[in-house]
Amino acid sequence: LRHWLGLHAHGLLSSLGRMASRPLASLLTVTVMAIAIMLPVALALTLANVQRFSGDVQASRQVTVFLHQDIGMDRANAIAGQLRARHDVATVTVRSPAEGLAEFRKMSDLAPALDALDGNPLPAVLLIEPADDGAAVAASLKPMPEVDVVQQDSVWRERLSAWLELGRRVAWVLAALLGAGALGVVGNTVRLDVQNRSEEIGVLQFLGATDGFVRRPFLYLGALHGLFAGAMALALLALAGGLLQPPLARLVASYGSHFGLQGPGALGAVALLAGPLLLGWLGAWLATGHHLRRNRPART
């Protein structure tokens, strides 16, 4: 076990030494991989934040029912009870005119004007969460005599949902293409290193070194390129988020809301480090395997 650990420690340290001996080439390789990794991740995070800001358009199908102003709270609660008994309605929340006025006062700059009113002009409102099809529920409520207006924003929600789904597909396609590009970059870097050490590799093979022994330092080299690229991608994402957050906060505050960008989180950060590491390891494994298969010493 001590010998095995010593071999891996030697491979790791020798790979770090080779990267340190060529800092510019290593930095360029890591930077190209980091940008290739960051772009699809940034797109996916942007889509996730847009979906969160829009109120989770995938799940939100709320139908807002404005009753006539002369409908009292007793009748509004009775209508809500009837709607709760329907199989196509999940939940019904009754909002009184006083609650609506208080919420409107918080969300607008018209508080002085509202105070000048003789009475409350707002009607009772029913907030309905459909169990399935919100459009069908909204259509069935419009003929009711107590109902004044039925508001259901399914069209723009469906369109935004479709755009978000398209964006996620684009992110996956970009991740696949740029991941293949990053694989090629690290594979080519390791291939050049293998060619520069081809005579040393030939001597080791002639002396009986196994493929695993020969391949080990190059695998560490590829994995380290991937790990550093993942760390740089995380740093670039944090930098981009820090630059975008202040103007976004001012924009959202102008709408009377509060919103902060969410990053990849702890699990996402781990994945963003482990994924490029495995990608670099795979590129190095493919490059060294190709060389070892084509350049085996002849046995006499």
Side-chain angles (χ1 to χ4, degrees):
L1 179 60
R2 188 180 299 111
H3 177 67
W4 181 81
L5 292 175
L7 290 176
H8 280 273
H10 177 267
L12 176 61
L13 293 176
S14 64
S15 299
L16 284 171
R18 295 193 70 81
M19 291 184 68
S21 65
R22 297 172 301 176
L24 181 60
S26 299
L27 180 62
L28 290 176
T29 301
V30 169
T31 302
V32 171
M33 289 185 66
I35 294 174
I37 294 164
M38 186 199 71
L39 289 178
V41 175
L43 177 58
L45 289 176
T46 301
L47 294 173
N49 281 283
V50 169
Q51 180 172 339
R52 186 168 60 90
F53 181 65
S54 65
D56 195 2
V57 297
Q58 296 288 350
S60 178
R61 303 181 303 273
Q62 188 178 79
V63 177
T64 305
V65 179
F66 297 88
L67 303 179
H68 288 289
Q69 196 168 3
D70 57 350
I71 301 297
M73 287 302 299
D74 292 338
R75 180 56 182 158
N77 288 320
I79 296 174
Q82 296 173 5
L83 294 176
R84 291 189 184 101
R86 293 175 48 165
H87 70 278
D88 56 351
V89 173
T91 61
V92 180
T93 303
V94 182
R95 180 175 297 169
S96 67
E99 293 172 341
L101 184 63
E103 183 176 350
F104 187 71
R105 193 187 305 273
K106 294 178 182 178
M107 297 175 58
S108 68
D109 299 327
L110 303 177
L114 294 175
D115 294 333
L117 296 175
D118 294 334
N120 189 344
L122 299 179
V125 178
L126 304 181
L127 304 177
I128 302 172
E129 286 290 341
D132 187 15
D133 188 1
V137 173
S140 67
L141 296 175
K142 290 180 180 179
M144 296 178 62
E146 299 87 352
V147 173
D148 185 15
V149 176
V150 178
Q151 180 179 334
Q152 207 269 331
D153 300 326
S154 61
V155 175
W156 77 266
R157 291 180 187 277
E158 291 174 359
R159 289 175 179 174
L160 184 55
S161 176
W163 277 108
L164 290 174
E165 179 61 28
L166 175 61
R168 280 188 287 270
R169 295 290 181 91
V170 171
W172 279 109
V173 172
L174 282 177
L177 294 176
L178 294 176
L183 183 69
V185 168
V186 71
N188 186 65
T189 300
V190 174
R191 181 186 65 82
L192 293 175
D193 195 48
V194 169
Q195 287 183 348
N196 291 334
R197 300 174 62 183
S198 59
E199 293 183 1
E200 176 186 348
I201 293 173
V203 172
L204 290 174
Q205 287 180 311
F206 186 79
L207 294 176
T210 63
D211 288 351
F213 181 87
V214 175
R215 184 183 280 141
R216 186 178 297 114
F218 299 105
L219 295 182
Y220 273 110
L221 182 64
L224 288 173
H225 276 98
L227 180 62
F228 292 147
M232 182 179 288
L234 275 175
L236 291 175
L237 287 173
L239 177 62
L243 294 175
L244 294 175
Q245 181 60 43
L248 178 63
R250 290 193 295 268
L251 175 63
V252 173
S254 66
Y255 288 92
S257 180
H258 301 280
F259 180 79
L261 291 173
Q262 285 188 352
L267 292 178
V270 172
L272 199 52
L273 292 174
L277 185 149
L278 294 176
L279 199 65
W281 179 90
L282 178 60
W285 186 84
L286 293 174
T288 53
H290 177 72
H291 178 85
L292 292 175
R293 286 191 299 271
R294 295 188 59 182
N295 298 275
R296 294 192 181 279
R299 298 291 183 180
T300 59

